[in-house]
Amino acid sequence: MDHEVTEFGTGGHETGYETGYETADETLSALAQTGEGDLETTLRPRRLDEFVGQPRVREQLELVLESARRRGVPPDHVLLSGPPGLGKTSMAMIVAAELGAAIRITSGPALERAGDLAAMLSNLAPGDVLFIDEIHRIARPAEEMLYLAMEDFRVDVVVGKGPGATSIPLEIAPFTLVGATTRSGSLTGPLRDRFGFTGQMEFYSDAELELVVRRAATILGIGIDRDGCAEIAGRSRGTPRIANRLLRRVRDYAEVRADGSVTREVARAALKVYDVDELGLDRLDRAVLGALTRSFGGGPVGVSTLAVAVGEEAGTVEEVCEPYLVRAGMLARTPRGRVATPAAWEHLGLVPPPGRPDQSGPTLFDQG
Ligand SMILES: Nc1ncnc2c1ncn2[C@@H]1O[C@H](COP(=O)(O)OP(=O)(O)OP(=O)(O)O)[C@@H](O)[C@H]1O
Ligand SMILES: [Mg+2]
């Protein structure tokens, strides 16, 4: 293998490779705290059998990995998709750990120039796992380079400029690409087609989240009883990252205002302080529902308008708030925009204005 080729890249040495990489999601929630990134790393499951929930993805992935192991080849490329905090990054690390392979980490936005990607690709050793987080945000030239790399383990490096430029094909080591995305819909067809396996991560059940909370409490040395676990799990929006975060906030409260151990009462009192309601909706979720009902009469309203109304970016509202609000049956995405369901009005303690057409129906035909 030739590893001395990075000078063909455009000086992309500084890109990627930092394993401390965290996605922007950490800054989005009203509960986000700085300096807790390390804790998140501590709580990350390391092996497939430590990974709670996602039975379908786990089983499928187990087969993909085991069969590759038996054949002695790197497994097919793996795409992991799903809302933030469900364990995509953790799963990517686990793929490498289960294969006993090294993992190189980068992200779509970091691969602005194809040269950056060429440098990474040509530095891979046989069997390495290359993890590209937020792969839907990869720039076009890098994406096109990735096609060839994924399919033929080759990169075409362009040397020189203008009419004298030549393209030199370079062989790269057989590797496994693991891509993660919160929006698989915005992946281009050709890229999606080159993944041999797509794991669609689902929201976790309350029972699974109880296990997540219990596991984290054990690792962090927090005393918590069954009811305490259940209370936190039920307010975690189906998301392990949120479960772990709420546990830490409840722990703070337990230490300062109670005897340090977490019961249902302590958890309830603590989550009240942190503005997390019984359904686990935080301030931003409630702001979205509030704007949708109070300011826009229940919709339909476009997501960008809604985002402006709550002072957030459309992407955040769409990828962070909406998936759970839809799943909780409070918000519907219709072709004409976002619509509040009766459950949303009820949750906010509001009564829908009288005489409104049933919004879950095909409103296009209402005008008759
Ligand atoms: N199945 C699980 N069991 C236990 N803990 C989990 C599980 N999945 C996720 N976690 C916890 O949730 C945290 C967030 O997971 P992770 O970073 O893998 O999510 P993600 O899907 O990559 O999120 P993002 O889209 O924001 O990058 C981890 O640090 C880990 O502690
Ligand atoms: Mg991640």
Side-chain angles (χ1 to χ4, degrees):
M1 276 318 128
D2 181 6
H3 288 292
E4 304 304 316
V5 289
T6 41
E7 67 260 33
F8 289 128
T10 48
H13 267 295
E14 62 280 57
T15 337
Y17 297 102
E18 323 88 271
T19 40
Y21 178 79
E22 294 294 339
T23 49
D25 163 72
E26 278 299 290
T27 60
L28 300 178
S29 162
L31 282 174
Q33 302 283 315
T34 48
E36 295 201 338
D38 290 347
L39 256 182
E40 178 147 301
T41 313
T42 317
L43 293 178
R44 221 165 231 148
R46 310 264 155 205
R47 305 302 293 229
L48 215 45
D49 57 15
E50 240 184 277
F51 196 94
V52 176
Q54 309 295 340
R56 210 163 38 92
V57 175
R58 241 178 25 205
E59 185 185 2
Q60 294 164 342
L61 207 49
E62 221 158 43
L63 290 171
V64 171
L65 298 182
E66 180 58 29
S67 130
R69 213 163 17 210
R70 289 190 188 188
R71 282 178 292 128
V73 297
D76 261 0
H77 306 299
V78 172
L79 180 66
L80 300 168
S81 79
L86 298 193
K88 296 181 296 297
T89 299
S90 308
M91 198 54 113
M93 311 268 192
I94 287 174
V95 167
E98 292 289 333
L99 292 169
I103 184 165
R104 308 270 175 212
I105 303 176
T106 184
S107 73
L111 297 173
E112 217 177 294
R113 294 166 302 174
D116 299 339
L117 179 62
M120 285 207 91
L121 288 169
S122 53
N123 269 311
L124 293 173
D128 276 1
V129 169
L130 174 63
F131 174 44
I132 305 184
D133 210 349
E134 297 186 81
I135 195 165
H136 59 276
R137 292 179 60 193
I138 196 169
R140 233 327 138 75
E143 175 173 338
E144 277 161 16
M145 174 175 285
L146 206 50
Y147 296 163
L148 199 60
M150 290 171 80
E151 223 158 46
D152 296 340
F153 301 120
R154 221 151 44 82
V155 286
D156 279 340
V157 178
V158 180
V159 186
K161 281 202 171 100
T166 40
S167 147
I168 303 179
L170 273 180
E171 219 177 281
I172 55 172
F175 68 104
T176 298
L177 178 68
V178 179
T181 178
T182 46
R183 21 189 349 163
S184 59
S186 38
L187 236 60
T188 63
L191 185 55
R192 204 169 334 137
D193 291 345
R194 281 169 172 78
F195 286 98
F197 168 70
T198 300
Q200 174 68 53
M201 312 283 267
E202 312 278 354
F203 284 113
Y204 291 65
S205 71
D206 285 0
E208 289 166 342
L209 288 174
E210 279 182 46
L211 294 175
V212 170
V213 172
R214 172 146 315 281
R215 176 177 173 276
T218 307
I219 293 173
L220 300 176
I222 302 170
I224 184 167
D225 67 10
R226 262 191 106 115
D227 289 347
C229 282
E231 192 64 33
I232 293 173
R235 298 191 192 205
S236 299
R237 308 160 98 255
T239 307
R241 175 182 289 134
I242 296 179
N244 287 341
R245 193 184 284 156
L246 295 184
L247 173 66
R248 300 195 299 265
R249 297 292 73 79
V250 171
R251 182 247 352 245
D252 294 349
Y253 182 96
E255 279 174 359
V256 177
R257 302 256 176 98
D259 69 356
S261 58
V262 177
T263 60
R264 186 179 296 273
E265 282 63 47
V266 168
R268 277 197 185 145
L271 294 174
K272 191 161 176 34
V273 173
Y274 292 110
D275 254 338
V276 175
D277 69 20
E278 316 79 62
L279 289 177
L281 305 193
D282 64 17
R283 236 178 318 154
L284 182 56
D285 299 316
R286 285 198 303 272
V288 167
L289 288 184
L292 188 54
T293 49
R294 293 190 189 96
S295 315
F296 300 108
V301 60
V303 67
S304 40
T305 311
L306 197 54
V308 169
V310 298
E312 260 301 343
E313 285 184 27
T316 305
V317 170
E318 212 171 347
E319 287 162 52
V320 180
C321 298
E322 284 190 347
Y324 190 74
L325 292 175
V326 168
R327 183 197 180 227
M330 300 216 200
L331 181 141
R333 289 169 166 162
T334 74
R336 296 172 62 206
R338 273 50 175 175
V339 164
T341 66
W345 292 91
E346 197 183 311
H347 185 68
L348 296 176
L350 301 171
V351 182
R356 304 181 71 247
D358 176 13
Q359 295 185 324
S360 52
T363 38
L364 271 177
F365 303 107
D366 282 348
Q367 287 92 348

